[in-house]
Amino acid sequence: MSNKMWGGRFSERPDEIMEEINVSIDVDRHLFAQDIAASKAHAAMLANQGIITASDAKNIGKGLDTILSEIGKGDFTFKRALEDIHMNVESRLSELIGPAAGRLHTARSRNDQVAIDFRLYVRDVLDETDAALAAFQAALVNRALEHAATVMPGFTHLQTAQPVTFGHHLLAYVEMAARDRGRFQDARKRLNESPLGAAALAGTSFPIDRHATAKALGFDRPMANSLDAVSDRDFVLETLSAASICAVHMSRLAEEIVIWTSPLVGMIRLSDKFTTGSSIMPQKRNPDAAELVRAKTGRVIGALNGLLIVMKGLPLAYQKDMQEDKQGAMEGFAALSLAIRAMTGMVRDLEPDEAKMKAAAGEGYSTATDLADWLVRTLKMPFRDAHHVTGRIVAKAAEGGVALHELPLKDMQAIEPKITKDVFGVLSVESSVKSRTSFGGTAPKNVMSQAKAWVKRLEKERKLG
């Protein structure tokens, strides 16, 4: 008895283990909407080109719509024996409309079919990710507007460095997300070429119109080389690369939230919506959502590494190895989507303890640079000399266990006689942040201006769609 799927060439069924390793329907069933959309476009093109009759194309289209509805309602039975989404759809189509279903596969192969399906899927992921990141940016910008003048410590080496504003800190992630969106948008541009019609690897002898199917499916153009069209997955790799960078950005903010919510720091609080308790310690409030965002980053990066390893040694054209291109990528995209939405929720939810932030901003002699700048600006001292003098003054304050603004003027003058009482005007954390007026600096008026500019930009993007 011949194999039902492969026809006359094979006379025996595959071994049970062969069926198990070969089957992909558990993964590529998620491509059902894309598979049906591509098949409808292909059938319409075949009819327009006179390759199949208009009647057959109409019946194929109706049958495919029925299958789409069945899957959407959960009434469709996916059969592992049919291996993948393509054969499952075609088999059901045959049950619905009879022999005409067999004409749908004219002038195409499962090689270009899976390539078009996955491109459509990743394109949808890119659009959804862009929208999610825009919402994340909007949440950050709204909180930055609230806290444009809220002082907090800025860190280098996780040590108190200089005072900044909380709004300024949040806007840093807005900028990161903007670059993430740019990378995703660039990936979309390169992705947006259609492989449909490349067939198995060499094209087809049928007079198909690849430009028509490309246009019908929203692609800019058909891919120019049939070998390339069916055998490369750089569109997935590029998207996963951008996703990995984006996930790292999410993880960095998540890590900061974990640190900030610790009772040892206590600069922000998350509500019950984004924290969990302990099964044994009733006092605990754990920032589990943030911790899980950190962990999801590993899934995204792992998906990129996995696909790079799959692709690295493959000759042209399609190889069965490429069946492994989807599961990891889909899981990685899902992990990033969840991470972005979780971070957006936490940004909206978090409440800073402004008093603790301000107190922490003044610790560690964080306004020492302001003192050095005052020496340069007022006493015309070379910065390297000012740096040395300031270091000695900081050491004096540390010796006395007082803050810089609490050190007596006479003690400063013992180190640099030209210092006047005016120096105290730059030593508070409020004065420090207000002075950082250079473009991109943390001055509250800068932060407010940048946040308002982002509000306008995001609103413009939203209206343009």
Side-chain angles (χ1 to χ4, degrees):
M1 181 179 178
S2 65
N3 182 286
K4 182 178 180 181
M5 192 181 303
W6 306 122
R9 177 64 179 87
F10 289 77
S11 59
E12 296 183 47
R13 291 195 60 82
D15 186 88
E16 183 180 340
I17 296 299
M18 177 60 189
E19 287 188 339
E20 185 64 26
I21 197 172
N22 201 44
V23 70
S24 64
I25 188 60
D26 296 337
V27 175
D28 59 35
R29 66 193 296 170
H30 298 294
L31 301 177
F32 73 89
Q34 292 81 10
D35 191 72
I36 290 172
S39 290
K40 290 177 69 175
H42 184 67
M45 179 276 295
L46 292 176
N48 289 337
Q49 294 298 106
I51 299 171
I52 66 173
T53 66
S55 176
D56 281 344
K58 183 177 181 181
N59 288 332
I60 288 170
K62 286 184 177 179
L64 290 171
D65 285 338
T66 297
I67 294 169
L68 183 64
S69 176
E70 289 176 348
I71 296 175
K73 294 177 181 177
D75 296 334
F76 187 92
T77 300
F78 292 98
K79 300 174 182 177
R80 288 173 63 84
L82 293 174
E83 189 178 312
D84 59 30
I85 185 62
H86 321 303
M87 299 306 296
N88 269 266
V89 169
E90 185 175 320
S91 176
R92 177 58 179 150
L93 185 63
S94 181
E95 293 173 355
L96 290 170
I97 70 172
R103 302 189 186 281
L104 175 59
H105 209 55
T106 306
R108 76 174 184 183
S109 161
R110 287 197 301 172
N111 293 357
D112 63 338
Q113 196 176 353
V114 71
I116 188 73
D117 291 359
F118 205 18
R119 278 182 184 264
L120 288 168
Y121 180 90
V122 175
R123 191 175 69 182
D124 289 342
V125 166
L126 285 164
D127 291 342
E128 292 163 5
T129 303
D130 184 74
L133 283 171
F136 174 63
Q137 287 180 296
L140 289 165
V141 168
N142 288 335
R143 301 313 303 271
L145 285 170
E146 291 178 50
H147 296 286
T150 301
V151 179
M152 68 171 288
F155 299 96
T156 62
H157 308 278
L158 206 56
Q159 305 296 311
T160 303
Q162 292 177 318
V164 296
T165 66
F166 189 43
H168 189 60
H169 195 107
L170 295 174
L171 287 182
Y173 286 98
V174 176
E175 298 291 336
M176 293 181 212
R179 293 192 295 276
D180 289 328
R181 293 180 67 190
R183 277 183 282 270
F184 285 123
Q185 289 160 7
D186 287 345
R188 194 189 194 283
K189 291 175 185 176
R190 277 181 286 278
L191 170 152
N192 210 39
E193 295 183 346
S194 172
L196 189 58
L201 75 160
T204 178
S205 60
F206 288 96
I208 62 172
D209 185 350
R210 293 188 62 210
H211 288 85
T213 51
K215 183 178 180 181
L217 293 168
F219 289 98
D220 296 329
R221 63 191 70 84
M223 297 181 73
N225 185 286
S226 59
L227 287 167
D228 175 47
V230 300
S231 67
D232 207 350
R233 293 295 183 268
D234 58 357
F235 67 96
V236 192
L237 290 169
E238 185 172 10
T239 304
L240 283 172
S241 178
S244 296
I245 297 171
C246 180
V248 167
H249 287 155
M250 296 296 146
S251 185
R252 294 183 72 184
L253 179 54
E255 169 68 5
E256 291 189 316
I257 288 175
V258 170
I259 293 170
W260 293 341
T261 55
S262 166
L264 294 173
V265 178
M267 291 201 305
I268 69 165
R269 182 182 185 277
L270 289 173
S271 76
D272 295 351
K273 295 178 182 178
F274 290 95
T275 56
T276 64
S278 165
S279 63
I280 190 172
M281 296 170 284
Q283 84 282 6
K284 291 294 294 297
R285 180 186 292 275
N286 300 322
D288 283 2
E291 292 171 10
L292 287 166
V293 167
R294 287 187 310 197
K296 296 293 183 186
T297 302
R299 284 185 174 267
V300 183
I301 296 171
L304 172 61
N305 288 339
L307 185 53
L308 283 168
I309 293 167
V310 167
M311 297 299 299
K312 71 173 182 61
L314 299 188
L316 297 179
Y318 181 83
Q319 316 291 328
K320 195 67 170 183
D321 311 51
M322 292 161 66
Q323 184 168 291
E324 294 297 314
D325 63 351
K326 288 175 282 297
Q327 183 172 358
M330 288 177 174
E331 291 175 354
F333 295 145
L336 178 62
S337 174
L338 185 56
I340 295 171
R341 287 182 284 126
M343 290 308 308
T344 302
M346 280 184 279
V347 167
R348 291 170 177 159
D349 183 72
L350 64 82
E351 286 301 328
D353 186 326
E354 296 183 27
K356 276 194 174 182
M357 280 188 167
K358 182 178 177 181
E363 293 178 357
Y365 304 100
S366 63
T367 58
T369 305
D370 297 276
L371 172 57
D373 289 346
W374 184 88
L375 294 172
V376 171
R377 189 169 50 249
T378 304
L379 304 185
K380 309 304 180 186
M381 189 180 293
F383 183 80
R384 285 302 169 198
D385 293 343
H387 186 283
H388 180 72
V389 168
T390 300
R392 291 176 63 195
I393 293 174
V394 168
K396 184 66 174 178
E399 181 184 318
V402 297
L404 271 181
H405 68 277
E406 296 172 336
L407 187 67
L409 177 61
K410 62 181 180 61
D411 288 345
M412 295 188 193
Q413 290 175 333
I415 296 169
E416 174 47 63
K418 295 180 181 178
I419 293 178
T420 68
K421 64 179 180 180
D422 292 341
V423 73
F424 292 101
V426 301
L427 296 182
S428 70
V429 291
E430 294 92 347
S431 297
S432 178
V433 295
K434 286 180 181 179
S435 72
R436 307 294 168 178
T437 56
S438 59
F439 182 79
T442 191
K445 68 176 184 179
N446 285 18
V447 175
M448 187 64 72
S449 176
Q450 287 293 320
K452 288 180 178 178
W454 269 111
V455 168
K456 292 180 180 178
R457 178 173 167 179
L458 292 170
E459 179 62 20
K460 182 178 180 181
E461 289 176 355
R462 189 188 65 80
K463 289 180 179 179
L464 291 174

